[in-house]
Amino acid sequence: MPEEPCQCPDCQRFYREHDRLIRENPSLRQQQELSWAALQAFRTLAGRVLEELQKHYPEPDPAPAAAATPAGAEAEAVSPETEAIQQAMGDLENINAHLFSIEALMERIFDVRVPEEVEQKFREVAGELAPDPLNADRLRLNRLLHQTPDLPDRG
Ligand SMILES: [Zn+2]
């Protein structure tokens, strides 16, 4: 028996968004453009925020320096807020590096062009996967079907 999809508010929001992206971008070409635009938007925004933070906050001290610090020459105390910002800057740098790698992989996916018949198949399948905007109802219906203990024709 297939596991029932989670119905918590986060998951429901995800299902709705997932289906909307299929419904509104039902061809390979549109999915390519959508994903590319989303990736670039993410990179632009995260990169700009990182630049802003780098202008206003000092780079964290390299960790091993403590050993070389003479006794008595205490390192300047860093406030917890600054420490949190520095941590976030490191995380953003990692995110940007990952996004850069993803972009390199995506470029290959986006080189692909398919014949119109195949695009038509995309649109067909998209219509089956995400048929109408009222898909909360569709999810509820799916759930009801899953909950039916015995289908009549199984007896
Ligand atoms: Zn959930």
Side-chain angles (χ1 to χ4, degrees):
M1 185 175 162
E3 204 173 308
E4 172 143 351
C6 178
Q7 299 295 329
C8 78
D10 282 346
C11 287
Q12 288 199 347
R13 203 166 49 245
F14 170 79
Y15 303 144
R16 273 198 301 276
E17 186 66 359
H18 173 274
D19 285 11
R20 184 181 69 78
L21 292 174
I22 291 178
R23 194 164 50 247
E24 294 179 2
N25 303 273
S27 70
L28 176 63
R29 188 84 199 105
Q30 285 169 304
Q31 287 293 325
Q32 287 169 322
E33 289 173 358
L34 174 71
S35 298
W36 186 252
L39 177 70
Q40 294 303 329
F42 194 173
R43 279 194 64 189
T44 301
L45 184 56
R48 185 60 61 85
V49 168
L50 181 59
E51 275 176 30
E52 289 293 310
L53 292 175
Q54 281 166 341
K55 273 186 222 161
H56 296 102
Y57 292 90
E59 291 287 319
D61 294 327
T69 307
E74 272 188 40
E76 256 179 69
V78 177
S79 76
E81 290 81 8
T82 302
E83 214 170 302
I85 299 282
Q86 286 171 342
Q87 173 67 47
M89 286 164 65
D91 290 342
L92 285 177
E93 274 170 15
N94 284 335
I95 284 180
N96 285 341
H98 287 308
L99 290 176
F100 187 76
S101 306
I102 293 168
E103 179 181 306
L105 293 172
M106 269 194 169
E107 274 173 354
R108 299 190 203 171
I109 292 175
F110 294 156
D111 284 342
V112 173
R113 294 288 176 276
V114 295
E116 180 51 32
E117 296 94 295
V118 177
E119 284 291 29
Q120 191 49 46
K121 180 55 79 180
F122 264 83
R123 284 187 278 269
E124 248 176 71
V125 172
E128 289 163 17
L129 288 174
D132 67 64
L134 298 171
N135 84 357
D137 290 341
R138 189 168 58 83
L139 284 172
R140 201 153 49 235
L141 181 64
N142 282 346
R143 186 158 57 140
L144 287 175
L145 289 173
H146 276 302
Q147 281 171 350
T148 308
D150 286 301
L151 296 173
D153 62 350
R154 270 198 203 153

